[in-house]
Amino acid sequence: MAEEDNGVELNRLIEENDLTGIRLWLADHPPYRIADELARMDARTAIVPFRLLDKDRELEVFEELDPVHQQEILVGLRDSAFHELLEEMDPDDRARLIGEAPAKIATRALAGLSPAERKMTAALLGYPEESVGRYMTPETVILHRDLSVGRALEVVRAKSAEAETVYTLPVVADGRRFAGTVELSDLVRADDDTPLKDLVDVLVPRVRATEPAEDAARLMQEANLVALSVVDSEERFVGLLTFDDALELIEAADSEDIARQSGASPVAGHYVAASVFRLARARATWLLLLIVAATLTVNVMQAYEATLEQVTALALFVPMLTGTGGNVGSQSATAIVRALAVGEVRVRDLPGVAWKESRVGFLLGAMLACVALAIGSALVGVTIAAVVATSVICICIWAATIGSCMPLLARKAGVDPAVVSAPLVSTLVDATGLLIYFSIARMILHI
Amino acid sequence: MAEEDNGVELNRLIEENDLTGIRLWLADHPPYRIADELARMDARTAIVPFRLLDKDRELEVFEELDPVHQQEILVGLRDSAFHELLEEMDPDDRARLIGEAPAKIATRALAGLSPAERKMTAALLGYPEESVGRYMTPETVILHRDLSVGRALEVVRAKSAEAETVYTLPVVADGRRFAGTVELSDLVRADDDTPLKDLVDVLVPRVRATEPAEDAARLMQEANLVALSVVDSEERFVGLLTFDDALELIEAADSEDIARQSGASPVAGHYVAASVFRLARARATWLLLLIVAATLTVNVMQAYEATLEQVTALALFVPMLTGTGGNVGSQSATAIVRALAVGEVRVRDLPGVAWKESRVGFLLGAMLACVALAIGSALVGVTIAAVVATSVICICIWAATIGSCMPLLARKAGVDPAVVSAPLVSTLVDATGLLIYFSIARMILHI
């Protein structure tokens, strides 16, 4: 819990305006910890410790921040510090910052860059948002296939200062055509006069710069790559996606999927720093759609109002049945959305998945029906309990089947399967589940 | 979509028993792709292409598989192949496999190992499950702080064949006390006679081997580390957690959180390979608890049965109100569970979070109340609609507050916050929401 105290301490130092104390705290903590504390403060407070950082650590801390917080810090800096910071950033981080910043900051940022850095940034900004091109680094050491290991190591040594990573080295043939990669560890290990060709992994995966960045990150995870080679449409090498960006992409994608699963849009930036209004806005759209969709349940209830008036006891089990149906449907939907995200299930598995989940639904339904029968019998008698228990089985089969098919159908239609959120499934299952319940009630009770 | 066809093709080749065709397919695909296809087959089918792999690729493919599938493959191998494979595995992967395997396989596996490998595996198995110790690799190149860069590079070259990674190199003082790390890229870049000391990052984070592996993986992500140093209780270096294990740990942790959020236990292994019974079992426990908890809703409905008989129209809005309350509560709970998982929120933020979420709930409630008022007025008249609208506001405030507090209270109690699943919050909000609804109805309708 020492970590928790640190944040409190920094806040206290800032409040007391104890500049020496702040400097000591900063010197004692690694950049990612400092960035974490800054992200929890409002922008006016965060700028105080940021300005007290050494020049070289300033950049390290800055690069650990989200684009949202980077913008806030930038706004608080004088022109010279502003431009210096941007000039020294990694081109991919800079492109993302500029791509997400308001036009005013973006223009000011681009204007201050040296021609070389501006060109590199402009090239990255030319790729579509959320594509690999936006996240890759063009600053790499490229080796020609015909080099020897000794010569290759010389190239690495000479050029490594400009490169973001030298652990996975792209190897190219003439015309910058991608020929595979070689690991720095293999170079270090090999004899100097070994031909580089012998060490190249030619089957190593590569991606196009225009492909979705999330897919590329998941590929790195699957294939255990510390860096993934990115090529253009003519198979020419253009950059590397590095593991730290992949980790960030996967965390962001998972956060997004998790938010979507609860029917909310993802909120960029730190939770603590997000305003009440921004949080509400991220959740409002789906809630509005869902409450309108829930009108269906009112309609179904209204259609069976006569039945309800005859047997009021039926109403008692409505929340339990809609709740259970929603739970079973959400479980199936959540499982399939995740299986799709990590690549375990594909669209063509739809019939198999539906059949499997309907059987899972039956098993769960049969088990829950026993409980419902017991509870129902104790509270309102065996006949109504039988209606409830039969409904539980049918609703569970239905909920599991529909909950599992919807994400696959969404993917087939080209929509992010994560929009098939638990609340969406619950709401749909609520209305159809009530239909099932009242139909069964009428059949068994002969009304 | 070329990737999707590959799998179909391999299955066809196996069905036709076309061994040459299978060999060609295997030679054409990288290990992670082969492993992915094997994971989708049942064990009896998967063993066919596995046996056709070259000796050196066999290990690579095997290491890409989950422990569940590794076991299945092992069972199908003859003794010599079985032992050879295990002997050559990375010690951390092997420890995990043996730790999860049934006693019979584990004994057979340990018995076949060479004394050195057995000792290493036993040491890793001595750490608690899910701790860093189980996932770290002890096979690293360790540098003494007093070396020069040139001498350090010689050590790396001489020992790198045994090491799983040489990109981040642990540096130690006398007695193996951890002193920081140095990056291989910095070594390659520096002059041979630079003292190693000058390049060591002493602020680099380290973790104890007994700490939870997930926390260590998230730390690597935050601090952008390609490998994290692991120390024992006396700050002696014992191993490295590498980025590929971190990626896997984060994916597994997110999958687990996502499953828990829907009220299911995580299912190990591939979705397609999981049996109906295993899937049902993973979801059954929570569903049972929740349907029992849902008895509360039946009780509340029963307590207000007289009110319902007087004004049947009130029943019509029960599914809509419970649904909306559940949705708002789940959104808050999901947001806080995620914020806790990625370290954006801490237990001490509880009062701030509760106050923020209650305001978010009010904003959302006010918006949804307008919709409810419109729908209600159109369907059953203004008075009932006013009851429904007022209830929506109160339920939303209540749901958002309780949904956000529960994960924080769970963490405070030392329970995984992810057990505060969307279905759990929905079920609790269902019963309390009905209480709110009927109380407001009685007040407004004077019954």
Side-chain angles (χ1 to χ4, degrees), chain A residues 255-279:
Chain A
S255 288
E256 206 178 303
D257 282 0
I258 288 172
R260 288 245 169 83
Q261 265 313 100
S262 76
S265 317
V267 174
H270 208 288
Y271 175 83
V272 171
S275 72
V276 169
F277 186 73
R278 225 166 93 221
L279 288 175

Tab-separated table of all heavy atoms in Angstrom, chain A residues 255-279:
chain	number	residue	atom	x	y	z
A	255	SER	N	-11.056	-2.637	-22.814
A	255	SER	CA	-11.849	-1.652	-22.080
A	255	SER	C	-13.073	-1.253	-22.897
A	255	SER	O	-14.172	-1.101	-22.372
A	255	SER	CB	-11.031	-0.391	-21.790
A	255	SER	OG	-10.061	-0.652	-20.813
A	256	GLU	N	-12.872	-1.085	-24.184
A	256	GLU	CA	-13.958	-0.688	-25.068
A	256	GLU	C	-15.013	-1.787	-25.118
A	256	GLU	O	-16.206	-1.514	-24.989
A	256	GLU	CB	-13.368	-0.466	-26.464
A	256	GLU	CG	-14.143	0.494	-27.312
A	256	GLU	CD	-13.466	0.688	-28.657
A	256	GLU	OE1	-12.283	1.090	-28.677
A	256	GLU	OE2	-14.114	0.414	-29.680
A	257	ASP	N	-14.556	-3.034	-25.301
A	257	ASP	CA	-15.503	-4.156	-25.351
A	257	ASP	C	-16.269	-4.274	-24.041
A	257	ASP	O	-17.465	-4.552	-24.032
A	257	ASP	CB	-14.761	-5.471	-25.619
A	257	ASP	CG	-14.397	-5.620	-27.092
A	257	ASP	OD1	-14.723	-4.696	-27.871
A	257	ASP	OD2	-13.800	-6.637	-27.457
A	258	ILE	N	-15.557	-4.083	-22.931
A	258	ILE	CA	-16.200	-4.212	-21.627
A	258	ILE	C	-17.246	-3.108	-21.461
A	258	ILE	O	-18.365	-3.361	-21.028
A	258	ILE	CB	-15.143	-4.170	-20.500
A	258	ILE	CG1	-14.347	-5.477	-20.511
A	258	ILE	CG2	-15.804	-3.963	-19.145
A	258	ILE	CD1	-13.152	-5.502	-19.587
A	259	ALA	N	-16.899	-1.875	-21.836
A	259	ALA	CA	-17.863	-0.779	-21.753
A	259	ALA	C	-19.073	-1.082	-22.641
A	259	ALA	O	-20.221	-0.968	-22.223
A	259	ALA	CB	-17.215	0.538	-22.169
A	260	ARG	N	-18.807	-1.509	-23.870
A	260	ARG	CA	-19.888	-1.821	-24.808
A	260	ARG	C	-20.786	-2.913	-24.262
A	260	ARG	O	-21.999	-2.880	-24.417
A	260	ARG	CB	-19.297	-2.302	-26.136
A	260	ARG	CG	-18.651	-1.213	-26.925
A	260	ARG	CD	-19.389	-0.969	-28.247
A	260	ARG	NE	-18.891	0.274	-28.850
A	260	ARG	CZ	-17.789	0.331	-29.589
A	260	ARG	NH1	-17.110	-0.776	-29.843
A	260	ARG	NH2	-17.384	1.472	-30.087
A	261	GLN	N	-20.165	-3.928	-23.621
A	261	GLN	CA	-20.947	-5.040	-23.077
A	261	GLN	C	-21.969	-4.553	-22.060
A	261	GLN	O	-22.973	-5.204	-21.825
A	261	GLN	CB	-20.011	-6.042	-22.386
A	261	GLN	CG	-19.568	-7.185	-23.240
A	261	GLN	CD	-20.674	-7.869	-24.006
A	261	GLN	OE1	-20.878	-7.625	-25.188
A	261	GLN	NE2	-21.436	-8.712	-23.336
A	262	SER	N	-21.694	-3.430	-21.416
A	262	SER	CA	-22.650	-2.910	-20.449
A	262	SER	C	-23.517	-1.828	-21.088
A	262	SER	O	-24.240	-1.125	-20.404
A	262	SER	CB	-21.927	-2.367	-19.219
A	262	SER	OG	-21.345	-1.114	-19.507
A	263	GLY	N	-23.421	-1.693	-22.409
A	263	GLY	CA	-24.251	-0.708	-23.095
A	263	GLY	C	-23.770	0.713	-22.927
A	263	GLY	O	-24.558	1.644	-22.908
A	264	ALA	N	-22.468	0.899	-22.790
A	264	ALA	CA	-21.922	2.256	-22.678
A	264	ALA	C	-20.865	2.455	-23.761
A	264	ALA	O	-20.276	1.490	-24.237
A	264	ALA	CB	-21.297	2.469	-21.302
A	265	SER	N	-20.638	3.693	-24.165
A	265	SER	CA	-19.513	3.965	-25.053
A	265	SER	C	-18.281	4.081	-24.181
A	265	SER	O	-18.366	4.502	-23.034
A	265	SER	CB	-19.699	5.282	-25.800
A	265	SER	OG	-21.009	5.397	-26.259
A	266	PRO	N	-17.118	3.724	-24.725
A	266	PRO	CA	-15.906	3.890	-23.939
A	266	PRO	C	-15.624	5.371	-23.687
A	266	PRO	O	-15.881	6.206	-24.550
A	266	PRO	CB	-14.824	3.266	-24.816
A	266	PRO	CG	-15.412	3.189	-26.197
A	266	PRO	CD	-16.889	3.170	-26.044
A	267	VAL	N	-15.120	5.698	-22.482
A	267	VAL	CA	-14.751	7.067	-22.152
A	267	VAL	C	-13.237	7.167	-22.227
A	267	VAL	O	-12.540	6.427	-21.543
A	267	VAL	CB	-15.237	7.441	-20.737
A	267	VAL	CG1	-14.728	8.810	-20.337
A	267	VAL	CG2	-16.744	7.390	-20.662
A	268	ALA	N	-12.734	8.062	-23.088
A	268	ALA	CA	-11.282	8.198	-23.213
A	268	ALA	C	-10.727	8.830	-21.947
A	268	ALA	O	-11.393	9.636	-21.300
A	268	ALA	CB	-10.943	9.058	-24.429
A	269	GLY	N	-9.512	8.459	-21.584
A	269	GLY	CA	-8.862	9.080	-20.441
A	269	GLY	C	-9.207	8.395	-19.132
A	269	GLY	O	-9.853	7.361	-19.095
A	270	HIS	N	-8.761	9.024	-18.069
A	270	HIS	CA	-8.805	8.447	-16.734
A	270	HIS	C	-10.200	8.589	-16.128
A	270	HIS	O	-10.825	9.629	-16.244
A	270	HIS	CB	-7.784	9.215	-15.892
A	270	HIS	CG	-7.211	8.424	-14.779
A	270	HIS	ND1	-7.948	8.120	-13.679
A	270	HIS	CD2	-5.993	7.882	-14.597
A	270	HIS	CE1	-7.176	7.426	-12.855
A	270	HIS	NE2	-5.994	7.259	-13.397
A	271	TYR	N	-10.681	7.535	-15.441
A	271	TYR	CA	-12.025	7.605	-14.843
A	271	TYR	C	-12.140	8.773	-13.873
A	271	TYR	O	-13.112	9.532	-13.905
A	271	TYR	CB	-12.367	6.297	-14.112
A	271	TYR	CG	-13.701	6.379	-13.392
A	271	TYR	CD1	-14.887	6.159	-14.074
A	271	TYR	CD2	-13.773	6.743	-12.049
A	271	TYR	CE1	-16.114	6.280	-13.434
A	271	TYR	CE2	-14.994	6.870	-11.406
A	271	TYR	CZ	-16.159	6.638	-12.103
A	271	TYR	OH	-17.366	6.770	-11.477
A	272	VAL	N	-11.118	8.918	-13.026
A	272	VAL	CA	-11.191	9.945	-11.987
A	272	VAL	C	-11.277	11.341	-12.599
A	272	VAL	O	-11.912	12.238	-12.054
A	272	VAL	CB	-9.970	9.828	-11.039
A	272	VAL	CG1	-9.902	10.998	-10.088
A	272	VAL	CG2	-10.046	8.516	-10.262
A	273	ALA	N	-10.650	11.519	-13.768
A	273	ALA	CA	-10.619	12.838	-14.391
A	273	ALA	C	-11.857	13.105	-15.247
A	273	ALA	O	-12.072	14.234	-15.691
A	273	ALA	CB	-9.353	12.982	-15.239
A	274	ALA	N	-12.695	12.089	-15.495
A	274	ALA	CA	-13.844	12.275	-16.378
A	274	ALA	C	-14.968	13.000	-15.645
A	274	ALA	O	-15.252	12.724	-14.484
A	274	ALA	CB	-14.341	10.917	-16.869
A	275	SER	N	-15.618	13.949	-16.345
A	275	SER	CA	-16.686	14.714	-15.702
A	275	SER	C	-17.971	13.897	-15.655
A	275	SER	O	-18.157	12.958	-16.420
A	275	SER	CB	-16.932	16.008	-16.472
A	275	SER	OG	-17.562	15.714	-17.694
A	276	VAL	N	-18.861	14.266	-14.727
A	276	VAL	CA	-20.155	13.607	-14.589
A	276	VAL	C	-20.906	13.651	-15.915
A	276	VAL	O	-21.493	12.662	-16.349
A	276	VAL	CB	-20.992	14.300	-13.484
A	276	VAL	CG1	-22.426	13.812	-13.495
A	276	VAL	CG2	-20.354	14.056	-12.122
A	277	PHE	N	-20.837	14.787	-16.567
A	277	PHE	CA	-21.566	14.948	-17.817
A	277	PHE	C	-21.035	14.004	-18.889
A	277	PHE	O	-21.788	13.384	-19.629
A	277	PHE	CB	-21.460	16.408	-18.274
A	277	PHE	CG	-22.302	16.693	-19.470
A	277	PHE	CD1	-23.688	16.782	-19.352
A	277	PHE	CD2	-21.725	16.856	-20.717
A	277	PHE	CE1	-24.471	17.018	-20.464
A	277	PHE	CE2	-22.510	17.098	-21.831
A	277	PHE	CZ	-23.887	17.185	-21.706
A	278	ARG	N	-19.675	13.873	-18.953
A	278	ARG	CA	-19.087	12.998	-19.970
A	278	ARG	C	-19.447	11.538	-19.700
A	278	ARG	O	-19.739	10.774	-20.631
A	278	ARG	CB	-17.566	13.170	-19.986
A	278	ARG	CG	-17.037	13.288	-21.413
A	278	ARG	CD	-15.630	13.784	-21.465
A	278	ARG	NE	-14.679	12.687	-21.490
A	278	ARG	CZ	-13.532	12.691	-20.801
A	278	ARG	NH1	-13.225	13.712	-20.035
A	278	ARG	NH2	-12.726	11.679	-20.891
A	279	LEU	N	-19.433	11.146	-18.443
A	279	LEU	CA	-19.805	9.770	-18.106
A	279	LEU	C	-21.257	9.510	-18.484
A	279	LEU	O	-21.591	8.467	-19.058
A	279	LEU	CB	-19.594	9.508	-16.610
A	279	LEU	CG	-18.145	9.409	-16.119
A	279	LEU	CD1	-18.110	9.278	-14.607
A	279	LEU	CD2	-17.441	8.212	-16.763
